[in-house]
DNA sequence: ATGAAAGCGCTAACAG
DNA sequence: CTGTTAGCGCTTTCAT
């Protein structure tokens, strides 16, 4: 049997109330002497506070729940580091629930699980919620915040890069380097994808270029998607492609090399994300790099009710996969 | 205020006990009619069971806690999938606690947090515990199991690949392909590392070869380690290197290519892990592939008290980074 | 500075 | 089949 405050109280010859006060650090409500005694007994007994009981009586857990979607891209670690860091600073524990790979059932289940626990906030990492999920989430009084996903709905908390701006930035970078026929590969049909298409199209228009419809190809952000899409781009004769993720970029790169298309001489590729994988390919991949750590930090602020910008700036990191114009 | 069973009871004109019975599916203890009514009211009120309260009264949470270490290598997703899958089958929820990157404090904190909750099992993923951690863990009555780490202590539950056998397998594969001067790069000084050294040395000896001491180089399983270690191997004139992880393998590969050393013609490299990264390099990396999903599945079995083999078999996946002997 | 007692939301005997 | 009651381990008034 695990020891409880009752055991400590008995051992120390005080009431459970006193034990509770000492263990919860309610300073000024107990004498130094009883404190010493209680702490000593607690250690002897190998006591650990039962969080479940505390949470029940306090009707709130100092805990942030992160529901995470295992997408093919893997920037999650960086976001998690940021979350963990900031949460600890704010005295919150962090628990992570894994929602599989875009698996609706598991997503549901994760949300339900979290709602049944009185967490102080819910962070949804790369989760595209369906109508039911959103319903559930709203129904709860717990604040929730989408991370790395922007709804375009200011009623719903979220933190992410500005996908429109990001795509604009990538497109403009390519245009500035002399490209006019630019593809966009591997984006999805949801919020993130459409925002990026918009940014891409706007940049093209702003520079007096036309973005052909079939220059935009859907995919699932994966390496395989990248590989396959290269073939689709071949007859289109674009000179540069914006990849929806680093993984897509690597897929394009490898497929290109296999087809004897020199990167960046014949084809330029720019990735989106800027994870380590950009650095280990040959040539290394130029990317629009997202500040994932900061996204994590701010998501905690946001869900804890602190004011923060919704968008975290991105930047171009020049490596070797885009042909430079000089 | 969130609705409770009390609210439902009031609304439905029954006692809270009946509500509890229906909501906990204690079949045969209630009539179909009251069930309908209660379920209806519950839905209307937007009721969700309070797990905290349930866990408290049951003195156990149907929940497995995974403490995960963010190592540079990233096979964790696959292990997590396996864990999630099996846990769900066994009616257990899964929560994940992130322990940072070999960060002692966070590791401690994670373990303490978990102990304060009455989880049914603790899984430690790629966590090298220090003495204090182990002390804490043992003190609790909760079963715990190390995943992807073998202690060589049969008192302590663990699931992993057999690191000795794995290294033996890699070494033998290289020997069978004509190599006699073989390096081992990037292993750590803990359990995993020393087991691999042992397997490597044994294989060499079994084939009548001597393994020179400086053919074994320590590292931290990272890409950077791989890059740096290649330089150290250059004067040693080994013809093949076993990399402690896929990331180390990529580091070696890139550094070699930069130094104009053809892989696999001048230098063969074999990786350990077999994650996706092996498939995206040029040449793709031959690896000893671990069955991470299965490791995840079995770790749940183990921690839930089911009998399972401690070691999960590995296999060689031939790609393009080892020169074949024919 | 400390104790007694109520109660967080739920389950599980025990009666009926 | 259903209601009553006693807790689970802890915090928090309210007294003293």
């Amino acid at each position: 049997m695990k020891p409880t405050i009752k055991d400590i109280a008995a051992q120390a010859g005080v009431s459970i109330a006193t034990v509770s006060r000492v263990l919860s650090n309610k300073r000024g409500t107990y004498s130094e002497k009883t404190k010493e005694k209680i702490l000593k007994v607690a250690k002897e007994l190998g006591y650990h506070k039962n969080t479940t009981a505390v949470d029940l009586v306090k009707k709130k857990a100092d805990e942030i729940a992160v529901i995470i979607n295992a997408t093919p891209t893997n920037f999650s670690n960086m976001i998690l580091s940021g979350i963990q860091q900031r949460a600890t600073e704010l005295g919150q524990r962090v628990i992570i629930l894994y929602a599989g790979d875009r698996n609706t059932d598991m997503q549901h289940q994760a949300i339900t699980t979290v709602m049944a626990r009185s967490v102080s906030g819910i962070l949804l990492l790369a989760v595209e919620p369906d109508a039911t999920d959103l319903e559930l989430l709203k129904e709860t009084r717990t604040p929730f915040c989408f991370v790395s996903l922007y709804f375009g709905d200011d009623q719903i908390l979220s933190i992410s890069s500005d996908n429109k701006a990001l795509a604009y930035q990538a497109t403009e970078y390519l245009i500035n380097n002399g490209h006019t026929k630019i593809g966009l590969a591997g984006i999805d049909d949801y919020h993130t994808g459409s925002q990026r298409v918009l940014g891409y199209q706007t940049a093209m228009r702003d520079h007096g270029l036309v973005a052909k419809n079939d220059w935009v190809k859907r995919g699932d952000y994966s390496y395989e998607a990248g590989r396959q899409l290269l073939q689709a781009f071949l007859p289109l004769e674009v000179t540069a492609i914006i990849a929806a993720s680093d993984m897509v970029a690597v897929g394009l790169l490898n497929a290109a090399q296999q087809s004897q298309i020199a990167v960046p001489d014949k084809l330029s590729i720019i990735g989106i994300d800027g994870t380590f994988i950009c650095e280990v390919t040959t040539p290394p991949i130029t990317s629009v790099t997202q500040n994932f750590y900061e996204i994590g930090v701010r998501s905690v602020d946001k869900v804890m009710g602190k004011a923060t910008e919704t968008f975290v700036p991105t930047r171009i990191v020049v490596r070797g996969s885009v042909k430079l114009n000089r």
Side-chain angles (χ1 to χ4, degrees), chain A:
Chain A
M1 276 293 61
K2 281 190 185 173
T4 72
I5 50 170
K6 218 169 180 171
D7 301 318
I8 299 181
Q11 275 287 318
V14 294
S15 75
I16 59 165
T18 303
V19 176
S20 171
R21 286 183 190 112
V22 171
L23 262 26
S24 313
N25 244 287
K26 296 265 174 293
R27 297 192 50 193
T29 64
Y30 49 79
S31 72
E32 194 62 17
K33 218 177 120 203
T34 43
K35 175 189 159 186
E36 309 270 271
K37 186 165 49 184
I38 288 172
L39 256 28
K40 183 164 151 285
V41 175
K43 176 152 282 180
E44 279 172 16
L45 263 40
Y47 173 82
H48 285 276
K49 204 182 261 198
N50 182 330
T51 315
T52 311
V54 177
D55 289 350
L56 178 59
V57 60
K58 288 224 184 138
K59 305 185 78 170
K60 95 173 238 266
D62 287 331
E63 187 169 88
I64 293 178
V66 183
I67 298 179
I68 177 172
N69 204 122
T71 48
T73 42
N74 78 319
F75 42 72
S76 339
N77 273 5
M78 277 172 286
I79 298 185
L80 282 176
S81 296
I83 291 176
Q84 193 72 252
Q85 170 65 35
R86 189 75 182 115
T88 306
E89 287 170 15
L90 300 180
Q92 300 287 316
R93 281 168 278 132
V94 176
I95 66 173
I96 303 163
L97 297 249
Y98 185 80
D101 191 358
R102 295 177 188 278
N103 181 140
T104 316
D105 281 350
M106 286 176 72
Q107 226 164 267
H108 259 76
Q109 206 191 301
I111 295 177
T112 316
T113 302
V114 164
M115 288 181 53
R117 190 184 286 285
S118 8
V119 297
S120 40
I122 305 173
L123 260 23
L124 298 112
L125 195 36
V127 171
E128 284 275 1
D130 60 20
T132 324
D133 290 338
L134 221 44
E135 195 71 22
L136 271 172
L137 249 12
K138 282 179 174 162
E139 185 185 288
T140 200
R141 298 293 293 149
T142 314
F144 59 92
C145 173
F146 287 91
V147 185
S148 198
L149 180 76
Y150 176 60
F151 266 99
D153 176 344
D154 291 329
Q155 299 298 92
I156 298 177
L157 298 183
S158 73
I159 291 280
S160 68
S161 300
D162 183 339
N163 281 299
K164 189 181 164 197
L166 177 163
Y168 193 100
Q169 193 176 20
T171 312
E172 194 165 49
Y173 175 75
L174 293 172
I175 295 173
N176 288 342
N177 278 288
H179 295 278
T180 55
K181 298 158 108 174
I182 300 171
L184 177 58
I187 49 141
D188 62 33
D189 265 328
Y190 301 95
H191 300 91
T192 304
S194 36
Q195 288 154 20
R196 290 183 182 176
V197 173
L198 193 58
Y200 158 78
Q201 289 170 336
T202 310
M204 293 293 271
R205 197 174 327 108
D206 285 359
H207 288 80
L209 298 170
V210 283
K212 292 204 188 161
N213 279 335
D214 57 356
W215 286 356
V216 176
K217 309 247 175 250
R218 318 277 149 182
D220 63 356
Y221 297 94
S222 70
Y223 173 75
E224 258 322 307
R227 285 197 67 95
Q228 283 163 19
L229 287 176
L230 185 87
Q231 304 308 321
F233 274 110
L234 251 30
L236 270 37
E237 302 189 319
V238 298
T239 63
I241 303 178
I242 302 167
S245 73
D246 291 343
M247 295 307 292
V248 170
V250 181
L252 290 168
L253 174 63
N254 280 8
Q257 285 173 340
Q258 220 158 308
S259 300
Q260 314 287 347
I261 299 169
V263 175
D265 286 339
K266 291 294 172 213
L267 178 69
S268 289
I269 297 172
I270 183 166
I272 294 178
D273 284 349
T275 58
F276 76 93
I277 199 133
C278 292
E279 325 223 344
V280 309
T281 54
T282 317
I285 297 169
T286 295
S287 69
V288 186
T289 295
Q290 304 196 52
N291 191 344
F292 292 115
Y293 184 87
E294 184 64 22
I295 288 179
V297 169
R298 294 211 201 159
S299 69
V300 173
D301 282 336
K302 198 119 192 178
V303 86
M304 295 302 288
K306 304 202 185 308
T308 323
E309 289 291 320
T310 293
F311 293 131
V312 177
T314 53
R315 66 185 210 284
I316 302 271
V317 174
V318 179
R319 296 194 186 85
S321 63
V322 172
K323 191 173 169 189
L324 301 181
N325 192 13
R326 34 186 139 171

